[in-house]
Amino acid sequence: MPKFWMITVGGPRLLTLLALLAGLSVVPVALPIGAAVAQDGRIRDIQVVGNRRVEPETVRSYLKFTVGDAYQASKVDESVRGLFQTGLFSDVAIDRSGSTVTVKVVENPVVNQVAFEGNSAVDDAGLRGEVQLKPRTVYTRAKVQGDVQRILDVYRRQGKFSANVEPKIIELDQNRVNVVFEINEGGSTKVRSIQFIGNRAFSDSQLRDVITTQQSGWFDFLKNASFYDPDRLALDRELLRQYYLKNGYADVRIVSGNADIDREGTGFYLTFVVEEGDVYKFSDVRIENGLPGLNAAALQGELLTKSGQIYNAADIDKSVERLTLVSAEQGFAFARVRPRANRDVATHTIGLVYAIDEGARVYIERINVIGNTRTRDHVIRREFRLAEGDAFNPLLVDRAKKRLQGLGFFKAVEIKRRPGSAPDRVIIDVDLVEQPTGELSFGAGYSTSEGVIGDISLTERNLMGNGQFLRLRLSGSVERLQVDLSFTEPRFLDRNLAAGFDLFHKELTNANDSVYRSRKTGGTARLGFPLTENLWAQTYYTLSRDEIYDVDTVLGDDGRIASRAIREAEGVAMTSLVGTTITYDQRNHPRNPNRGYFLTGGVDFAGVGGDVQYARLSAEGRYYYPITERVTFVGRLTAGHIEGWGGDDVRLIDLYYKGGETVRGFNRAGFGPRDLSTGDALGGKTYYAATAEVRYPFPFVPDELGIRGAVFVDAGSLFGINDSSKNINGKPDTQCPSCPIANIVDDATPRVSVGTSLIWDSPLGPLRADFGWAVLKEEYDKEQLFRFGASTKF
């Protein structure tokens, strides 16, 4: 019958072992008086007893003495220590009887099975991958203790700091054991609060968007970032520092990042102390060339740092990398670019000199990638602008490290260098710690235009370890149902090209604005690529089946009937189009900026096959300016136009429809061309809109609540009915004499509204309530005083 016993060591054996490991001379033998000893004191024979699996010669190979040597206590001590260090034995004793030395060993058992009990948050497979004890390996107490710590580390990464692990051993026959780790997982230790001290330029909510750790909320079971992780805390400090350096704060210091646990031991309170310093700008920026034959004039265009611009450390790094690569293309493989900053504290400017000289002539012998159990090697290696045999450049290696960190696939990235097989050779070891890249997201909210809205999506950012992006999303409301599948290969053909496709299906019920339903099903193939550092282009091809159906063609009990323009537009058509968009982004924050601008424009050309022919242009610009440290001005301009070609009219389903999402104070499809006889919105060919908004914090409201206010002025217009609507306007319908005669109005008069907003970065996601009053409108427009929207991703 197997018996259970705890891992304990005690008694004389422990004292002997500790003394040996401490380097003390211990001879655990006592020679009886009168024992036969060789006259010369030399060893004539060495016997090994107690071994079962280990060969005697293997034991003798670890001894510091052999037959013919004089017996020395110091050699015996070293031999005992060496045998213990092999990990093969739980006990070792060396005795001498005359000229014979006997080595007595007790072998460590062999692991038969490793099991886990009490674990639910982490499955057995995940724990087996962490522990070192495996079946058919030699059992040692040191390995067990190490595995206990590894299991605890796994649970701490899951936010379970109260977890406890107790190993149990089951002895079997033939010197075998089963190892059982009994686990008490305890509760999750979440991040209750994240606060910042000393931040003036950016609000707490903005800085929370920068870091990876998140505050706990209602849906923590769907995310891991709300659990405290010490490694993530160190990463967050670096992310904060880089964010400030990118936005002009050259003197910034992240003084500390502290985590304090509450009395119950169930939650952490994180506090980051920031010393921002002042905003700096670049003054003189020049290149200092120390390489004869290098065309320095050709390098000026590679600089991203310009005189008069806000200081940006990221642009300095990118400029250094570009200068290094261009110098290598000119034949200077060992060119070294070192930026030298000359700071003027009085004027808050920084002069910058890029000094180019020749670095050490060292070549890369080998690049080793370690720790990527899921991510393929080529996904990692393609982030290096270096390969085996290339000239070693520390700058390019550091830039590769930052690109790997930016992928979001790895929790930790460490790049080490060690000497190669020759003095001018170096080996690069890339040590990685992977992190989960899949995400199950739920969304919920309410909109005054659609009612209750929701979505669910499944996202994988590192599909099959190939670095590809895949998302399946289902969203909808009472009036809308939409399904999307998106796939992106970010490095198509191992080049800086993002290729992918989108499949979509959308159904819309226009019960409030028009009495019909529409359906759109199709797919898009796209290819995107950078033109400059902040300028991105994307071209695409879309094929879709568009349908207008369930049109109210008979006067109903409610007195409603669809406009003649809608009745005649009923049917199915195939759209085949090509298009391209250009985007330029200079914002200081992707989601919550307070400085910079964003520009985008696009053109679509339909008629590459299919049933319809039109050209569509659209453009949008946004500008952000910090009036004070906490007050931000936001300006927005947008416009679009669509026109048929080749004698084709623009279909009703392809026209623009605008309302409160463009000019607040109006309902959905609340302004623009309309059939007054039925009240149906008919869409327009041309629109424009402008917004001026000032966002501000509320006095006496803590920043950590994430509540802000805004006042705004919106203006815009939608006009230009299609030819079909023009042809039927004011004319009786011969197919339906009893139907109302179309009375279509089309007015380009601007609509203007003013209002105020309440913005809350809530734990559920961004919430916004707008109160808008239409001060310039037409009598047939549909207004909406209050507009509320909420959506969230977890």
Side-chain angles (χ1 to χ4, degrees):
M1 179 177 179
K3 54 183 179 179
F4 293 81
W5 49 278
M6 296 292 294
I7 301 176
T8 57
V9 179
R13 295 284 190 190
L14 175 60
L15 296 176
T16 302
L17 175 59
L18 294 176
L20 289 172
L21 295 178
L24 300 176
S25 295
V26 177
V27 183
V29 296
L31 293 178
I33 299 175
V37 181
Q39 292 183 354
D40 58 1
R42 295 190 177 276
I43 301 170
R44 301 305 181 192
D45 186 23
I46 300 176
Q47 296 181 359
V48 179
V49 297
N51 58 308
R52 303 177 63 180
R53 299 185 313 273
V54 183
E55 294 294 331
E57 287 304 319
T58 303
V59 176
R60 294 187 183 102
S61 68
Y62 289 103
L63 300 178
K64 303 302 179 182
F65 55 85
T66 185
V67 174
D69 292 346
Y71 184 87
Q72 298 180 17
S74 61
K75 296 293 185 181
V76 171
D77 291 347
E78 292 180 29
S79 300
V80 172
R81 190 181 299 112
L83 288 169
F84 270 119
Q85 289 174 350
T86 64
L88 298 173
F89 310 105
S90 61
D91 196 8
V92 177
I94 299 179
D95 298 334
R96 184 179 70 167
S97 177
S99 62
T100 300
V101 175
T102 302
V103 182
K104 299 178 182 179
V105 296
V106 178
E107 293 181 346
N108 276 321
V110 173
V111 177
N112 177 64
Q113 184 180 5
V114 178
F116 307 92
E117 293 181 357
N119 56 307
S120 59
V122 185
D123 59 16
D124 287 1
L127 294 176
R128 287 194 189 99
E130 294 290 335
V131 299
Q132 288 188 348
L133 283 175
K134 310 287 184 184
R136 296 184 296 278
T137 60
V138 176
Y139 165 87
T140 66
R141 292 181 177 88
K143 286 183 179 179
V144 171
Q145 293 166 357
D147 285 345
V148 167
Q149 187 59 48
R150 292 183 185 91
I151 295 174
L152 289 174
D153 289 342
V154 171
Y155 278 97
R156 285 170 180 167
R157 292 196 294 269
Q158 299 285 333
K160 295 181 178 294
F161 279 77
S162 58
N164 180 54
V165 180
E166 186 174 348
K168 295 290 182 65
I169 308 303
I170 304 174
E171 288 187 337
L172 306 175
D173 56 0
Q174 299 180 354
N175 201 24
R176 297 176 303 138
V177 294
N178 287 342
V179 181
V180 180
F181 293 98
E182 294 184 353
I183 302 171
N184 180 9
E185 294 182 334
S188 297
T189 311
K190 301 177 181 180
V191 177
R192 301 296 185 192
S193 172
I194 302 176
Q195 297 185 359
F196 301 88
I197 298 175
N199 54 313
R200 295 176 290 106
F202 304 104
S203 65
D204 284 10
S205 60
Q206 284 178 301
L207 296 182
R208 288 192 195 102
D209 285 339
V210 174
I211 62 178
T212 59
T213 305
Q214 301 175 16
Q215 289 185 163
S216 62
W218 292 1
F219 296 89
D220 291 338
F221 64 94
L222 296 174
K223 57 186 180 182
N224 291 325
S226 62
F227 301 125
Y228 173 67
D229 186 340
D231 295 335
R232 189 184 289 123
L233 184 64
L235 173 62
D236 288 341
R237 291 185 61 178
E238 179 60 20
L239 290 175
L240 287 171
R241 191 184 72 87
Q242 293 179 6
Y243 181 70
Y244 271 97
L245 290 174
K246 189 175 70 173
N247 286 283
Y249 293 87
D251 295 330
V252 67
R253 289 179 60 239
I254 310 301
V255 179
S256 64
N258 298 321
D260 299 315
I261 196 167
D262 58 18
R263 293 181 178 179
E264 295 77 17
T266 60
F268 278 94
Y269 293 83
L270 304 189
T271 304
F272 294 92
V273 180
V274 181
E275 289 183 3
E276 292 181 336
D278 297 317
V279 176
Y280 281 77
K281 292 185 177 181
F282 290 117
S283 55
D284 295 334
V285 179
R286 59 188 178 88
I287 296 175
E288 186 179 278
N289 181 22
L291 296 176
L294 178 66
N295 184 4
L299 302 179
Q300 290 290 340
E302 303 298 327
L303 297 181
L304 300 176
T305 52
K306 309 293 183 182
S307 178
Q309 287 184 347
I310 298 292
Y311 173 85
N312 188 327
D315 283 347
I316 296 177
D317 292 341
K318 293 174 184 176
S319 297
V320 170
E321 181 180 10
R322 294 172 71 162
L323 291 174
T324 302
L325 293 174
V326 174
S327 298
E329 291 173 358
Q330 292 189 25
F332 297 87
F334 297 97
R336 179 177 56 183
V337 181
R338 292 179 294 177
R340 188 169 63 245
N342 301 312
R343 185 177 318 218
D344 190 332
V345 179
T347 61
H348 296 127
T349 58
I350 294 179
L352 199 58
V353 177
Y354 293 94
I356 305 177
D357 57 11
E358 187 172 27
R361 292 182 172 269
V362 179
Y363 297 89
I364 298 174
E365 180 177 324
R366 190 168 66 253
I367 299 177
N368 298 323
V369 180
I370 307 166
N372 57 319
T373 57
R374 183 166 179 266
T375 307
R376 306 283 182 90
D377 265 24
H378 76 274
V379 175
I380 300 162
R381 292 180 182 274
R382 70 190 182 189
E383 299 303 324
F384 284 80
R385 303 297 184 259
L386 299 165
E388 283 88 347
D390 288 350
F392 174 74
N393 191 303
L395 166 74
L396 298 184
V397 172
D398 183 65
R399 293 294 298 159
K401 177 181 178 180
K402 292 181 179 179
R403 279 190 290 269
L404 288 172
Q405 292 172 331
L407 291 176
F409 302 162
F410 309 107
K411 181 181 176 182
V413 178
E414 191 71 30
I415 298 182
K416 302 175 183 177
R417 129 183 158 178
R418 53 190 173 93
S421 59
D424 62 345
R425 296 290 186 270
V426 66
I427 297 174
I428 298 176
D429 293 327
V430 185
D431 197 359
L432 306 169
V433 178
E434 292 184 314
Q435 65 182 0
T437 55
E439 178 184 0
L440 176 64
S441 300
F442 290 90
Y446 179 81
S447 169
T448 50
S449 59
E450 294 187 60
V452 177
I453 59 177
D455 69 73
I456 179 173
S457 65
L458 182 63
T459 304
E460 174 55 63
R461 294 178 287 111
N462 188 14
L463 183 64
M464 306 294 289
N466 289 313
Q468 299 160 336
F469 177 90
L470 180 69
R471 171 177 291 166
L472 176 63
R473 182 185 181 207
L474 172 65
S475 62
S477 65
V478 177
E479 299 183 354
R480 174 177 56 87
L481 173 65
Q482 188 167 348
V483 182
D484 299 281
L485 176 66
S486 298
F487 171 82
T488 302
E489 168 55 70
R491 296 293 296 275
F492 184 58
L493 300 177
D494 281 336
R495 297 178 179 272
N496 199 11
L497 302 172
F501 64 83
D502 305 295
L503 302 178
F504 53 84
H505 175 79
K506 181 178 181 180
E507 295 190 10
L508 183 65
T509 300
N510 298 73
N512 293 329
D513 311 306
S514 302
V515 282
Y516 69 92
R517 300 177 67 185
S518 62
R519 180 187 295 126
K520 191 180 187 73
T521 305
T524 298
R526 47 187 162 75
L527 180 69
F529 49 91
L531 299 176
T532 65
E533 189 64 35
N534 298 304
L535 186 63
W536 182 267
Q538 179 172 274
T539 184
Y540 48 87
Y541 169 77
T542 299
L543 179 66
S544 64
R545 181 184 184 273
D546 308 323
E547 180 181 8
I548 294 178
Y549 65 105
D550 282 357
V551 179
D552 285 353
T553 58
V554 179
L555 192 64
D557 295 337
D558 58 358
R560 295 199 65 183
I561 187 174
S563 168
R564 181 181 175 186
I566 298 174
R567 299 197 305 270
E568 294 186 357
E570 185 176 14
V572 180
M574 295 296 296
T575 301
S576 176
L577 66 83
V578 294
T580 186
T581 59
I582 303 292
T583 301
Y584 187 71
D585 194 350
Q586 279 282 17
R587 295 173 297 175
N588 65 347
H589 194 285
R591 289 190 298 172
N592 195 10
N594 65 350
R595 180 187 290 114
Y597 55 92
F598 174 87
L599 303 173
T600 184
V603 57
D604 295 334
F605 185 81
V608 189
D611 303 324
V612 298
Q613 298 180 125
Y614 64 78
R616 179 170 56 201
L617 297 93
S618 60
E620 180 180 356
R622 284 174 256 161
Y623 177 70
Y624 304 86
Y625 179 77
I627 299 175
T628 68
E629 292 178 347
R630 313 310 280 271
V631 179
T632 303
F633 169 80
V634 181
R636 176 174 176 260
L637 292 173
T638 181
H641 180 75
I642 185 171
E643 192 69 50
W645 65 276
D648 277 16
D649 192 14
V650 181
R651 296 175 306 160
L652 203 71
I653 198 173
D654 294 321
L655 293 171
Y656 295 109
Y657 294 82
K658 297 296 178 181
E661 78 287 343
T662 305
V663 180
R664 284 161 287 190
F666 291 87
N667 207 337
R668 186 178 63 177
F671 64 89
R674 189 176 301 276
D675 187 345
L676 299 183
S677 64
T678 61
D680 292 329
L682 301 182
K685 290 184 178 181
T686 305
Y687 80 92
Y688 67 85
T691 293
E693 180 173 289
V694 176
R695 299 173 183 171
Y696 55 88
F698 285 109
F700 312 112
V701 176
D703 285 343
E704 55 266 23
L705 294 180
I707 298 177
R708 293 169 293 155
V711 292
F712 62 83
V713 177
D714 290 342
S717 185
L718 172 66
F719 54 91
I721 59 176
N722 60 9
D723 294 339
S724 298
S725 297
K726 290 179 182 178
N727 294 335
I728 64 172
N729 194 21
K731 299 177 181 179
D733 187 354
T734 58
Q735 302 295 325
C736 182
S738 62
C739 294
I741 298 175
N743 181 15
I744 302 173
V745 291
D746 182 12
D747 193 340
T749 302
R751 275 68 164 180
V752 179
S753 69
V754 297
T756 183
S757 302
L758 178 65
I759 306 169
W760 181 28
D761 295 324
S762 74
L764 289 177
L767 306 178
R768 179 163 185 145
D770 296 314
F771 296 86
W773 292 268
V775 296
L776 189 59
K777 58 185 178 179
E778 296 297 322
E779 60 180 10
Y780 53 82
D781 290 340
K782 296 185 177 182
E783 300 177 53
Q784 184 184 67
L785 174 64
F786 174 70
R787 182 179 180 86
F788 173 78
S791 64
T792 181
K793 285 190 175 298
F794 313 104

